[in-house]
């Protein structure tokens, strides 16, 4: 266990559905991240939050909407997704930011869009 | 273009042998990190090496960094079947970029 939990672990949704992914860290970290991992592609950084403020948005489509209500919780709200959005979505946290700190990853949510 | 790239893409060795994976990158970095991922799971941090360091050890792991060649290597000595996983390097620069390479898939055969 890394101290980072994600729910649900698996999610199947239709293109018209709205769902949310949840991430929680019990490590007292100040930075949290969302990554997308597709088959045969490198891990893609989607969003970065430092002290609850979003500091990075790597040109992610607006159908992905992050929310960080406090430094321990991070959500990824999904709506009108496309089949190509099917992937493993990983949450991570670090003490400050990734430039100088190691990241602790959750187990991921395997998302399938039908 | 991709910052970090691991080489080889896949590696298969016998238990007890050493495994070496390489990572190359293109721009100046603040640090380089190695991670491991078991199939379909989250990543686990292995080692962080800073740009002013040349070598670090952790148990059976040894990481080197050559900033003049913009490359790093991860050596796993006396490999075990449990070392079977994908290994990724990730680089942080002096801006806000943190990029993972595509990974090396290591298979250790019993």
């Amino acid at each position: 266990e890394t101290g980072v939990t994600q729910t649900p672990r698996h999610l199947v949704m239709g293109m018209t559905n709205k769902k949310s992914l949840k991430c929680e860290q019990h490590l007292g970290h100040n930075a949290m991240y969302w990554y997308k991992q597709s088959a045969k592609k490198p891990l893609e950084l989607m969003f970065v939050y430092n002290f609850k403020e979003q500091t990075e948005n790597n040109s992610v489509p607006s159908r992905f909407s992050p929310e960080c209500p406090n430094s321990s919780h991070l959500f990824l709200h999904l709506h009108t997704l496309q089949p190509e959005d099917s992937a493993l979505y990983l949450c991570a946290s670090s003490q400050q930011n990734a430039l100088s700190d190691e990241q602790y990853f959750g187990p991921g949510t395997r998302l399938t869009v039908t | 273009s991709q910052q970090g790239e691991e080489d080889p893409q896949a590696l298969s060795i016998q238990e007890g042998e050493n495994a070496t994976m390489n990572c190359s990158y293109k721009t100046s970095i603040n640090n380089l990190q190695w991670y491991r991922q078991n199939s379909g799971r989250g990543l686990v941090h292995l080692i962080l090496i800073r740009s002013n360091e040349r070598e670090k050890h952790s148990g059976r792991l040894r990481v080197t960094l050559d900033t003049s060649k913009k490359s790093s290597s991860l050596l796993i000595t006396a490999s075990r079947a449990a070392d079977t996983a994908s290994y990724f390097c990730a680089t942080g620069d002096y801006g806000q970029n943190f990029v993972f390479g595509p990974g090396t898939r290591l298979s250790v055969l019993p």
Side-chain angles (χ1 to χ4, degrees):
Chain A
E1 293 296 326
T2 62
V4 181
T5 58
Q6 289 186 244
T7 55
R9 295 292 307 278
H10 300 271
L11 178 62
V12 179
M13 60 186 288
M15 289 189 283
T16 58
N17 291 159
K18 288 184 179 181
K19 297 286 184 183
S20 294
L21 309 184
K22 178 182 176 183
C23 176
E24 184 173 0
Q25 57 98 357
H26 312 273
L27 302 167
H29 288 167
N30 296 309
M32 296 187 77
Y33 314 82
W34 280 117
Y35 287 90
K36 174 183 178 183
Q37 188 175 35
S38 305
K40 300 182 180 179
K41 289 178 73 174
L43 209 62
E44 300 171 64
L45 179 62
M46 300 174 72
F47 301 104
V48 179
Y49 277 83
N50 262 320
F51 294 93
K52 302 187 296 178
E53 297 296 321
Q54 185 175 313
T55 59
E56 194 79 15
N57 175 344
N58 282 347
S59 304
V60 180
S62 60
R63 56 185 184 270
F64 294 92
S65 174
E67 179 190 359
C68 188
N70 55 62
S71 57
S72 298
H73 294 84
L74 186 64
F75 294 89
L76 187 62
H77 303 299
L78 317 170
H79 64 98
T80 59
L81 294 192
Q82 304 298 311
E84 61 264 29
D85 296 322
S86 298
L88 182 67
Y89 288 85
L90 293 162
C91 172
S93 70
S94 65
Q95 183 61 43
Q96 300 294 337
N97 65 65
L99 297 181
S100 58
D101 292 332
E102 65 185 84
Q103 294 184 45
Y104 292 76
F105 282 79
T109 294
R110 173 68 63 185
L111 173 67
T112 303
V113 181
T114 61
Chain B
S1 62
Q2 195 160 286
Q3 171 72 322
E5 288 204 29
E6 291 89 347
D7 165 52
Q9 291 186 349
L11 179 62
S12 186
I13 61 174
Q14 293 295 133
E15 205 165 25
E17 294 180 338
N18 295 343
T20 299
M21 289 159 270
N22 303 297
C23 171
S24 60
Y25 57 92
K26 294 181 171 59
T27 64
S28 296
I29 61 169
N30 176 286
N31 70 67
L32 185 145
Q33 302 181 36
W34 283 93
Y35 288 80
R36 163 201 167 115
Q37 183 181 34
N38 286 62
S39 180
R41 303 296 301 275
L43 279 72
V44 176
H45 183 267
L46 298 176
I47 288 184
L48 181 154
I49 187 165
R50 302 193 186 282
S51 59
N52 61 352
E53 298 175 307
R54 291 297 167 259
E55 188 171 312
K56 284 189 88 167
H57 297 255
S58 176
R60 292 183 296 112
L61 307 180
R62 173 178 168 246
V63 167
T64 62
L65 178 64
D66 187 336
T67 53
S68 66
K69 295 181 179 178
K70 291 186 168 57
S71 68
S72 172
S73 68
L74 169 66
L75 169 67
I76 304 174
T77 60
S79 64
R80 304 166 182 168
D83 294 328
T84 295
S86 291
Y87 292 83
F88 298 88
C89 70
T91 53
D93 63 16
Y94 292 93
Q96 287 294 324
N97 296 310
F98 189 69
V99 179
F100 280 83
T104 291
R105 193 169 59 255
L106 173 66
S107 298
V108 181
L109 306 175

